[in-house]
Amino acid sequence: MSTTGAAADPLAALGSLPGVAGSVESVRKAVDRVYGHRIMRRRSDAVTSEAALRGARGSAALAGADWALEEVRRRTDFSADAEARVVGAALRLSAEGGQLLSIWRQSPLRVLARLHLVAAAGRQDQIGRPRQAGEVVDEPLIELALPDAREVSGRLEGLADLVIAGTSAPALVTAAVVHGELLALRPFVSHNGLIARAAERIVLIGSGLDPKAVCPAEVGHGELGRASYLAALDGYVSGTPEGMAAWIAHCGRAVELGVRESTAVCEALQRGAA
């Protein structure tokens, strides 16, 4: 997302795109409903833990490791093969995100570097920093043209400036832009999709929309499927008002599906407590 010549709060301008206000309102109502569930008053920690697990599973599925939830829950060794390593990275990111909320608004680039360090454990020479000129990106499921390292650096700085400056834009809009920009840039040599979805969740939680982390957008992104995800991302990359609005709406639908998942968890916990 280019900010050259943009208004002082370009994210807020996106909130006025046709259809975006409706997505924002729909998400807010869905979030309010799950937070009003009686189980959230007594067992919100259990819902948060389950949302983290299910969110990690959904994010890993989009990265090519589509495991059954019970397999993710049962497995203890995530080093056996490439899919297992993807699931392990998604789980680590889910656990780490909550520890970085206080840093995000002051230093988003530091948070992104930390997320890559956590996700890509083991590649010591290239982890925890944006890719450099000539470095290859391992992100086979995203086939968009890859910006060069210089463009990545400039756009990351621009994104960080937007986050630090703050915005009056709804949380959904900010989260969608952070998510889309990271996917478009693929700033690291690996795990960019996982990191983009983790950053989206950090924004949704840190903004106050989902302070208890019980609305896992990753679940919704996984449920909507890779084809829908990539088609919506094409809209973001196009930079057109229609494309941006479609991407934001897609992210909103993902949050709503995450809410539905956690509502089902609440219902299951309530039945078990009855």
Side-chain angles (χ1 to χ4, degrees):
M1 177 185 177
S2 174
T3 61
T4 303
D9 190 352
L11 295 179
L14 294 177
S16 64
L17 291 175
V20 170
S23 294
V24 169
E25 181 63 18
S26 182
V27 166
R28 168 54 69 187
K29 288 180 178 178
V31 172
D32 286 348
R33 282 195 298 271
V34 73
Y35 271 81
H37 198 288
R38 60 184 298 185
I39 283 293
M40 288 294 295
R41 294 193 294 271
R42 298 183 285 114
R43 300 191 63 187
S44 63
D45 287 351
V47 182
T48 296
S49 296
E50 190 65 19
L53 181 71
R54 295 180 185 219
R57 194 215 72 80
S59 191
L62 280 177
D66 192 1
W67 288 15
L69 179 62
E70 290 311 311
E71 176 65 10
V72 178
R73 197 189 307 279
R74 180 192 67 80
R75 185 74 71 94
T76 57
D77 177 14
F78 294 97
S79 62
D81 53 43
E83 284 197 6
R85 289 190 291 274
V86 168
V87 175
L91 288 167
R92 291 192 299 274
L93 287 173
S94 185
E96 186 74 11
Q99 310 304 311
L100 301 171
L101 294 172
S102 63
I103 305 172
W104 174 255
R105 282 294 300 274
Q106 286 73 42
S107 184
L109 297 185
R110 179 181 166 194
V111 170
L112 293 174
R114 175 61 185 171
L115 291 175
H116 189 242
L117 186 70
V118 168
R123 300 180 63 172
Q124 298 301 323
D125 57 332
Q126 295 178 314
I127 64 174
R129 61 160 174 78
R131 56 186 168 84
Q132 299 174 357
E135 291 183 334
V136 177
V137 175
D138 180 14
E139 206 75 42
L141 301 178
I142 299 176
E143 299 178 350
L144 297 171
L146 191 68
D148 63 28
R150 180 178 297 181
E151 181 179 352
V152 167
S153 178
R155 287 173 62 176
L156 276 180
E157 290 289 345
L159 183 64
D161 288 346
L162 288 176
V163 171
I164 293 167
T167 178
S168 62
L172 172 64
V173 171
T174 305
V177 168
V178 168
H179 184 172
E181 191 71 356
L182 292 174
L183 287 177
L185 293 178
R186 281 145 292 160
F188 301 104
V189 295
S190 64
H191 298 90
N192 291 288
L194 295 177
I195 290 167
R197 291 183 287 276
E200 179 187 47
R201 290 289 295 126
I202 287 173
V203 175
L204 293 171
I205 297 166
S207 68
L209 177 66
D210 180 23
K212 294 186 178 181
V214 297
C215 306
E218 307 97 318
V219 168
H221 287 304
E223 186 172 336
L224 290 168
R226 189 178 304 147
S228 178
Y229 187 67
L230 295 178
L233 178 61
D234 283 343
Y236 176 86
V237 173
S238 76
T240 65
E242 296 81 8
M244 296 292 289
W247 170 250
I248 293 167
H250 181 90
C251 291
R253 182 59 179 150
V255 175
E256 291 183 66
L257 291 171
V259 167
R260 187 179 70 179
E261 188 87 354
S262 287
T263 300
V265 170
C266 287
E267 294 295 327
L269 289 171
Q270 184 168 281
R271 288 193 299 272

